[in-house]
């Protein structure tokens, strides 16, 4: 058992270009806790007649100032937790802070650079690396990704995410078993056998989260996300299994409602968020207080899910993310205050070990067989559980003869078999009860005699029998336990099956199994390394189904929009980097191939040497052949050296593979974001246009510039817009009004009542709407770029 307080770290986000720094100082003491001092100048405008500064001091395990890089944060914060999880303890790392303070950046990572990857991808990499190194145990790993939004849970790995709207997805609900353990219904556990599979799942979840987000509804700041890695391990042959889980939590923004100053739907959300963070605070206050028996975990979903992480069986770490510019000083102080309270909480982590009932049954069955064998040895007879018909008849006969025999010395000898003895007793008892009550003393006498004859053997038999009975009971209990487990797992299994439809697509991703090429000796090894660049081609599994085709106008506008979009630079940069990495990988693959050939060649030379020496031994047997061959020795040293360089290059190639995959995922995500941003912007433009339509008609001469747009078949398909939207669980009318589906202007243009007759461009109202929307969109973009001629 490990008892310790929650470790609390702080991370200060770098200042933006236009931000003014607040006054703060960091004192990182290597030996004890570090301290952060924030200074707030007294505001003279408030009527204070002094300009004394106020200072706030907070203690942290360590403080990561603006320039701290992701690898340092990982090494200091996440690595120790990951190590505990690998050892069989539960772990949690959660980020707390206002929106924009760097929670997602710290937990998941930045979307642009490989070096910006956050705690989750780095932890996955570290864990799978360690698992691979440890050959002494059998490990299984699963991941789950839960989003909690307005007190409802959603499975971010649910493959239905892409096709259906969030509100139509099954909600993840909390169930408590009689032992007060929390189970999450409808949350899928997806197996990830390696880093790559786990990363794919992470990106899939992140993309699902992004898709569901709309500008009305920047859910990422209002929802909590919990990425969980489940590890179970077992030593081969042992019945003990260790289970542990690591929660990596990106909490909702901690800012207060009063400050956001918004109304309607967003306020409802903000209240919810505050409510759920408020409940978190309540739990933390209750935990920090001594002698508090009731901890209000059940008040919110998030505190229920994280119950073990707060004051329970878990090693927990918190990262307070701070945005230390002047405007956010108040929020930073409140984040630090929260952190100080959290730092008081004590957790007790225990090793999560349990006996595997299946293995226990196998073990007990083996023991029973041994006992049975022992019985055979004692009795000299193989025994089945039931007496055969033949044996029963023979017994009946024996009993009859015995009863009819008038000789007082006659005995009923059935051998040292408890089944037969029992049968005789029952038989006699029945006879005695019904017909021959007067024969009772005789029977007793007889059996006593027999007992004395068989005393020794029976005693032993009895003992063995008892043992058998005991084992049978144990097996029954274990079988029941298994049944219960199975029943419980069935629901989860059902979800897993549903989810596997999605994961098969993931399975199609990278097929290069570099592990196989570990040993230079394996013949197929480097063929794969050689084909590296061509096979690392990821199917666009993340790309969303857009449903219908974009119309030409829409496509053209998208092209222009793309060039203007901020992310396009990052996409281009990554594309360039990816090209470089591919080239590097290809080059390395070729080099590896050469080294392998060289090793094989050297091996061939050694074989040649052996043959030569063998021939020499035959032709001149007097030569001493036991002495070492210096040439061979030299060849062996050379092989060793080549192997070393092979290994170095191989590891580099492996690293490259991970980097390439990560970059591909980043690009895929950025592309989807671009598409989504465009869709939103396009629908906004179309809506504006709808209102200004008469004006646009007057400039209809420009339409001739794009004659191809006149084709009536090319419509801006309504399906090309995301219909994914979040609706608050309360389904309040305000919420509905804010949802993008209802405000989607395209759907409005499609209604027959629209004033399409007043815009006689092509005669096709839908095509006209497209054309006009495009013209307006293009003009807007050009104006934004400073190219427009108004
Ligand atoms: P939050 O999740 O707390 O709302 P984000 O992680 O999304 O905040 O951060 C907001 C912005 O600041 C993002 O663009 C992110 O890339 C950037 N950012 C945050 N922390 C850092 C950091 N330590 N270094 C560089 N950029 C950062
Ligand atoms: Mg965030």
């Amino acid at each position: 058992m490990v008892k310790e307080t929650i470790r609390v770290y702080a991370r200060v986000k770098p200042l933006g270009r236009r931000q003014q720094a607040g006054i703060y100082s960091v004192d990182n003491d290597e030996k004890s806790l570090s301290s952060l001092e924030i200074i707030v100048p007294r505001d003279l405008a408030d009527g204070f007649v002094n300009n004394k500064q106020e200072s706030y001091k907070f203690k942290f395990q360590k403080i990561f100032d603006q320039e701290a890089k992701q690898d340092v944060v990982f090494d200091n914060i996440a690595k120790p937790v990951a190590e505990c999880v690998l050892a069989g303890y539960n772990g949690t790392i959660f980020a707390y802070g206002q929106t924009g303070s760097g929670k997602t950046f710290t937990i998941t990572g930045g979307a642009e650079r490989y070096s910006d990857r956050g705690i989750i991808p780095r932890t996955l990499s570290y864990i799978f690396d360690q698992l691979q190194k440890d050959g002494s145990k059998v490990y299984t790993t699963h991941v789950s990704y839960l989003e909690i939004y307005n007190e409802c849970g959603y499975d971010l790995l649910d493959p239905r995410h892409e096709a259906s709207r969030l509100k139509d997805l099954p909600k993840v609900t909390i169930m408590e078993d009689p032992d007060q353990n929390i189970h999450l219904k409808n949350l899928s556990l997806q197996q990830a056998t390696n880093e790559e599979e786990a990363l794919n799942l992470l990106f899939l979840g992140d993309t699902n989260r992004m898709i569901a987000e709309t500008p009305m509804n920047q859910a990422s700041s209002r929802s909590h996300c919990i990425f969980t890695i489940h590890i179970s391990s077992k030593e081969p042959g042992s019945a003990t299994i260790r289970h542990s889980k690591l929660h990596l939590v990106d909490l909702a923004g901690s800012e207060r409602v009063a400050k956001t100053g918004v109304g309607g739907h967003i306020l409802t959300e903000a209240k919810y968020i505050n409510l759920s963070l408020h409940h978190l605070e309540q739990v933390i206050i209750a935990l920090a207080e001594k002698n508090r028996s009731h901890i209000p975990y059940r008040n919110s979903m998030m505190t229920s899910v994280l119950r073990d992480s707060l004051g329970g069986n878990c090693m927990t770490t918190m990262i307070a993310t701070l945005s230390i510019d002047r405007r956010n000083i108040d929020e930073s102080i409140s984040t630090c205050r929260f952190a100080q309270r959290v730092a008081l909480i004590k957790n007790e982590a225990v090793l999560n070990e349990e006996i595997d009932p299946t293995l226990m049954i196998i073990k007990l069955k083996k023991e029973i067989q041994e006992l049975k064998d022992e019985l055979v040895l004692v009795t000299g007879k193989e025994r089945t559980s039931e007496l055969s018909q033949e044996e029963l008849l023979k017994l009946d006969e024996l009993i009859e003869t015995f009863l009819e025999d008038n000789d007082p010395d006659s005995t009923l000898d059935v051998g040292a078999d408890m089944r037969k003895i029992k049968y005789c007793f029952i038989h006699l008892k029945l006879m005695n009860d019904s017909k021959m009550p007067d024969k009772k003393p005789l029977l007793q006498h007889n059996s006593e005699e027999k007992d004395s004859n068989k005393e020794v053997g029976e005693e032993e038999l009895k003992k063995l029998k008892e043992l058998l009975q005991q084992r049978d009971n144990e097996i029954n209990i274990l079988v029941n336990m298994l049944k219960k487990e199975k029943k419980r797992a069935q629901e989860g299994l059902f979800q897993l099956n549903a989810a596997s439809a999605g994961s098969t697509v993931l399975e199609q991703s990278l097929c290069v199994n570099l592990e196989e090429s570990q040993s230079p000796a394996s013949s197929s090894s480097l063929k794969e390394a050689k084909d590296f660049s061509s096979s690392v081609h990821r199917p666009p599994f993340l790309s969303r189904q857009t449903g219908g085709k974009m119309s030409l106008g829409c496509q053209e506008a998208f092209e222009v929009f793309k060039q203007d979009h901020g992310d396009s630079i990052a996409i281009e940069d990554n594309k360039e980097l990816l090209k470089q990495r591919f080239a590097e990988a290809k080059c390395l693959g070729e080099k590896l191939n050469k080294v392998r050939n060289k090793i094989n060649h050297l091996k061939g030379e050694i074989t040649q040497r052996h043959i030569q020496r063998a021939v020499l031994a035959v032709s001149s047997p007097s030569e001493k052949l036991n002495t070492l061959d210096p040439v061979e020795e030299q060849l062996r040293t050379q092989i060793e050296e080549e192997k070393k360089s092979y290994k170095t290059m191989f590891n580099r190639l492996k690293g490259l593979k991970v980097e390439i995959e990560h970059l591909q995922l980043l690009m895929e995500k950025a592309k989807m974001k671009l598409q989504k941003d465009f869709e939103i912007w396009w629908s906004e433009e179309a809506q504006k246009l709808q209102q200004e339509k008469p004006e646009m008609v007057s400039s209809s001469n420009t339409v001739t510039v794009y004659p191809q747009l006149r084709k009536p078949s090319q419509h801006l398909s309504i399906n090309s817009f995301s219909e994914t939207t979040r609706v608050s669980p309360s389904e309040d009318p305000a919420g509905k009004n804010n949802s993008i589906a209802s405000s989607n202007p395209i759907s409005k243009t499609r209604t027959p009542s629209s004033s399409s007759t007043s815009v006689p461009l092509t005669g096709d109202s839908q095509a006209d709407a497209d054309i006009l929307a495009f013209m307006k969109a293009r003009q807007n973009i050009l104006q934004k770029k400073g190219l427009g001629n108004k």
Side-chain angles (χ1 to χ4, degrees):
M1 202 193 315
V2 184
K3 196 165 181 166
E4 61 171 50
T5 50
I6 295 182
R7 289 166 168 253
V8 179
Y9 296 87
R11 183 178 199 185
V12 182
K13 193 187 109 164
L15 278 179
R17 249 180 282 149
R18 295 201 194 107
Q19 285 175 326
Q20 273 191 308
I23 310 163
Y24 75 99
S25 65
V26 173
D27 178 14
N28 261 330
D29 190 334
E30 288 299 321
K31 282 183 213 117
S32 66
L33 294 176
S34 306
S35 74
L36 173 75
E37 185 176 12
I38 300 179
I39 292 174
V40 184
R42 277 269 169 89
D43 196 346
L44 290 171
D46 280 350
F48 287 97
V49 194
N50 68 64
N51 59 356
K52 232 175 96 190
Q53 293 181 323
E54 257 188 86
S55 147
Y56 298 85
K57 269 193 181 165
F58 305 100
K59 294 270 180 205
F60 291 95
Q61 199 79 35
K62 198 173 165 78
I63 298 156
F64 298 91
D65 210 350
Q66 299 187 39
E67 59 284 350
K69 293 279 167 267
Q70 296 282 58
D71 53 344
V72 178
V73 171
F74 169 77
D75 285 344
N76 280 274
I77 299 179
K79 209 164 158 184
V81 183
E83 268 158 15
C84 289
V85 174
L86 284 168
Y89 295 94
N90 291 337
T92 298
I93 300 174
F94 69 93
Y96 180 98
Q98 71 183 112
T99 300
S101 58
K103 295 182 297 297
T104 307
F105 186 86
T106 303
I107 296 290
T108 309
E112 282 172 25
R113 280 176 299 269
Y114 180 61
S115 57
D116 281 350
R117 65 201 192 287
I119 284 177
I120 303 181
R122 284 174 197 270
T123 305
L124 287 173
S125 185
Y126 180 76
I127 284 180
F128 282 108
D129 228 37
Q130 296 303 110
L131 296 190
Q132 215 174 36
K133 279 186 199 154
D134 182 7
S136 68
K137 292 197 191 90
V138 186
Y139 289 96
T140 30
T141 39
H142 287 85
V143 302
S144 60
Y145 206 172
L146 169 71
E147 178 173 26
I148 303 174
Y149 178 78
N150 280 357
E151 277 305 294
C152 289
Y154 299 96
D155 181 2
L156 283 176
L157 302 181
D158 190 322
R160 284 163 291 186
H161 235 289
E162 291 180 18
S164 36
R165 293 198 277 177
L166 207 64
K167 65 163 183 164
D168 302 328
L169 289 175
K171 303 231 174 9
V172 177
T173 48
I174 292 181
M175 311 227 284
E176 218 177 297
D177 67 15
D179 301 330
Q180 300 203 318
N181 294 316
I182 297 286
H183 301 274
L184 293 169
K185 199 180 153 202
N186 287 331
L187 180 69
S188 61
L189 268 189
Q190 312 253 7
Q191 183 158 18
T193 47
N194 53 39
E195 180 185 347
E196 184 191 321
E197 280 177 20
L199 267 186
N200 278 339
L201 290 168
L202 167 69
F203 275 82
L204 181 75
D206 278 344
T207 311
N208 282 338
R209 188 186 189 194
M210 184 185 79
I211 290 168
E213 210 171 68
T214 68
M216 308 274 194
N217 192 339
Q218 283 295 330
S220 64
S221 62
R222 301 178 203 290
S223 67
H224 315 286
C225 275
I226 306 177
F227 185 85
T228 309
I229 309 166
H230 307 251
I231 301 177
S232 49
S233 65
K234 194 172 76 72
E235 271 168 34
S238 155
T240 316
I241 312 179
R242 279 185 190 176
H243 294 286
S244 55
K245 52 191 172 186
L246 172 57
H247 292 307
L248 300 164
V249 189
D250 186 354
L251 288 177
S254 61
E255 57 276 5
R256 313 282 132 168
V257 189
K259 214 181 166 192
T260 53
V262 283
H265 184 51
I266 301 202
L267 183 67
T268 324
E269 285 169 358
K271 259 199 322 220
Y272 261 114
I273 297 312
N274 260 358
L275 202 64
S276 107
L277 284 182
H278 166 78
H279 289 311
L280 176 67
E281 239 173 289
Q282 293 310 305
V283 164
I284 281 158
I285 290 170
L287 284 166
E289 266 176 38
K290 270 182 197 156
N291 313 324
R292 263 286 282 269
S293 58
H294 175 69
I295 310 293
Y297 291 111
R298 286 203 195 138
N299 286 353
S300 88
M301 181 164 193
M302 195 239 310
T303 46
S304 301
V305 176
L306 294 183
R307 187 155 127 176
D308 262 349
S309 315
L310 306 163
N313 166 23
C314 193
M315 304 258 197
T316 302
T317 296
M318 169 185 163
I319 308 168
T321 53
L322 306 169
S323 198
I324 209 87
D325 64 298
R326 265 192 206 171
R327 277 190 12 222
N328 290 315
I329 282 290
D330 285 355
E331 287 294 350
S332 299
I333 290 173
S334 98
T335 299
C336 289
R337 283 202 180 119
F338 179 80
Q340 305 301 289
R341 264 194 238 125
V342 172
L344 298 175
I345 297 172
K346 277 205 174 82
N347 278 2
E348 262 177 56
V350 290
L351 211 51
N352 302 303
E353 280 186 335
E354 68 171 52
I355 305 289
D356 182 350
T358 325
L359 286 175
M360 201 61 195
I361 286 176
I362 294 171
K363 218 170 142 188
L364 288 175
K365 275 192 175 156
K366 206 173 142 211
E367 199 178 325
I368 284 177
Q369 191 51 51
E370 278 166 12
L371 289 169
K372 279 186 176 166
D373 292 347
E374 217 173 301
L375 253 178
V376 173
L377 265 183
V378 176
T379 60
K381 270 181 203 157
E382 188 78 44
R383 68 147 61 201
T384 52
S385 51
E386 298 286 330
L387 289 166
S388 69
Q389 206 58 35
E390 215 175 304
E391 282 171 315
L392 291 175
L393 281 172
K394 208 170 169 193
L395 276 178
D396 287 345
E397 242 171 67
L398 272 174
I399 294 169
E400 218 170 303
T401 330
F402 170 68
L403 288 175
E404 278 164 9
D405 195 342
N406 287 326
D407 182 358
D409 289 337
S410 71
T411 55
L412 176 60
D413 189 357
V414 290
D417 187 337
M418 270 312 274
R419 296 166 308 163
K420 289 182 181 169
I421 295 166
K422 265 188 191 161
Y423 179 81
C424 291
F425 275 116
I426 291 164
H427 195 100
L428 290 171
K429 189 172 188 287
L430 284 175
M431 280 165 78
N432 190 38
D433 285 352
S434 55
K435 304 180 237 166
M436 299 183 279
D438 52 315
K439 285 216 170 178
K440 205 172 167 184
L442 177 71
L443 276 174
Q444 266 178 351
H445 168 77
N446 278 342
S447 56
E448 264 167 28
E449 200 173 306
K450 189 188 72 187
D451 279 354
S452 65
N453 282 347
K454 310 282 173 207
E455 212 169 333
V456 184
E458 253 180 47
E459 201 132 283
E460 201 169 338
L461 265 176
K462 208 173 144 201
K463 262 190 212 157
L464 290 169
K465 267 279 180 188
E466 271 170 11
L467 248 175
L468 267 178
Q469 189 61 43
Q470 206 178 326
R471 291 292 174 260
D472 274 344
N473 286 344
E474 281 173 24
I475 285 185
N476 278 340
I477 293 168
L478 287 163
V479 167
N480 277 340
M481 267 169 71
L482 253 187
K483 273 186 191 159
K484 242 191 200 165
E485 275 298 312
K486 257 190 194 160
K487 213 170 159 190
R488 230 192 284 163
Q490 231 150 30
E491 267 185 20
L493 206 69
F494 172 71
Q495 286 169 29
L496 271 181
N497 283 342
S500 67
S503 52
T504 45
V505 190
L506 299 183
E507 279 158 22
Q508 291 167 8
S509 56
L510 294 178
C511 53
V512 190
N513 184 356
L514 282 164
E515 283 327 295
E516 272 180 26
S517 51
Q518 276 279 17
S519 128
S522 88
S523 62
S524 68
S525 60
L526 273 164
K527 194 179 134 290
E528 284 159 10
K530 203 169 138 198
D531 301 340
F532 183 81
S533 58
S534 56
S535 56
V536 189
H537 198 80
R538 181 177 298 280
F541 71 90
L542 284 175
S543 61
R544 202 154 37 118
Q545 298 228 321
T546 42
K549 277 187 204 159
M550 279 187 191
S551 73
L552 273 186
C554 187
Q555 265 171 35
E556 209 167 315
F558 181 58
E559 286 307 313
V560 185
F561 181 88
K562 212 160 72 179
Q563 288 161 23
D564 198 46
H565 197 280
D567 283 357
S568 68
I569 301 165
I571 295 178
E572 284 309 311
D573 283 356
N574 275 338
K575 222 190 233 171
E576 200 46 47
L577 191 64
L578 202 56
K579 243 192 229 162
Q580 279 173 25
R581 292 291 179 260
F582 267 137
E584 213 177 313
K586 201 175 157 192
C587 181
L588 257 181
E590 279 161 9
K591 273 191 198 158
L592 272 171
N593 223 358
K594 272 189 199 146
V595 176
R596 188 183 67 114
N597 286 342
K598 185 140 186 220
I599 291 172
N600 283 343
H601 179 75
L602 290 171
K603 277 185 180 165
E605 275 189 41
I606 291 179
T607 319
Q608 278 294 320
R609 263 323 274 182
H610 283 173
I611 295 168
Q612 277 171 14
R613 288 192 17 127
V615 171
L616 208 68
V618 176
S619 57
S620 48
S622 58
E623 288 262 338
K624 269 190 192 167
L625 280 168
N626 284 340
T627 52
L628 282 174
D629 177 9
V631 180
E632 188 182 328
E633 276 309 290
Q634 206 187 347
L635 286 171
R636 285 198 185 281
T637 329
Q638 242 175 310
I639 287 183
E640 279 317 306
E641 264 160 32
E642 293 296 340
K643 271 189 179 170
K644 249 188 235 159
S645 87
Y646 181 91
K647 190 131 195 166
T648 320
M649 277 194 264
F650 178 79
N651 283 338
R652 170 78 191 124
L653 188 63
K654 218 165 109 180
L656 267 180
K657 181 182 169 244
V658 176
E659 187 175 344
I660 285 175
E661 279 162 14
H662 195 98
L663 283 173
Q664 283 177 322
L665 288 167
L666 283 180
M667 275 174 65
E668 197 112 27
K669 216 163 108 183
K671 275 187 200 159
M672 287 187 59
K673 184 161 179 294
L674 190 83
Q675 192 189 334
K676 208 194 81 182
D677 287 351
F678 171 72
E679 285 167 6
I680 292 162
W681 171 82
W682 176 257
S683 66
E684 277 169 8
E685 289 303 314
Q687 191 179 29
K688 278 188 215 149
L689 182 87
Q690 189 68 24
Q691 289 151 5
E692 302 163 11
K693 224 171 189 179
E695 282 168 43
M696 293 302 295
V697 181
S698 64
S699 62
S700 64
N701 57 335
T702 34
V703 176
T704 50
V705 184
Y706 312 102
Q708 75 272 28
L709 293 179
R710 284 177 177 271
K711 285 180 195 165
S713 59
Q714 287 159 343
H715 301 320
L716 177 66
S717 163
I718 186 167
N719 291 336
S720 65
F721 289 87
S722 159
E723 286 196 58
T724 322
T725 175
R726 282 166 195 273
V727 174
S728 87
S730 53
E731 293 268 353
D732 61 323
K736 275 192 178 152
N737 286 339
N738 275 332
S739 78
I740 211 175
S742 56
S743 66
N744 189 338
I746 304 304
S747 55
K748 282 183 192 155
T749 51
R750 244 140 270 263
T751 55
S753 62
S754 115
S755 58
S756 57
T757 44
S758 66
V759 195
L761 281 170
T762 63
D764 179 312
S765 62
Q766 289 172 0
D768 289 349
D770 282 2
I771 295 164
L772 292 170
F774 168 68
M775 280 157 44
K776 183 79 196 302
R778 189 177 174 91
Q779 205 176 353
N780 268 355
I781 294 170
L782 290 175
Q783 266 169 15
K784 253 204 281 178
K785 285 186 162 180
L787 303 168
N789 48 340
K790 237 196 159 172

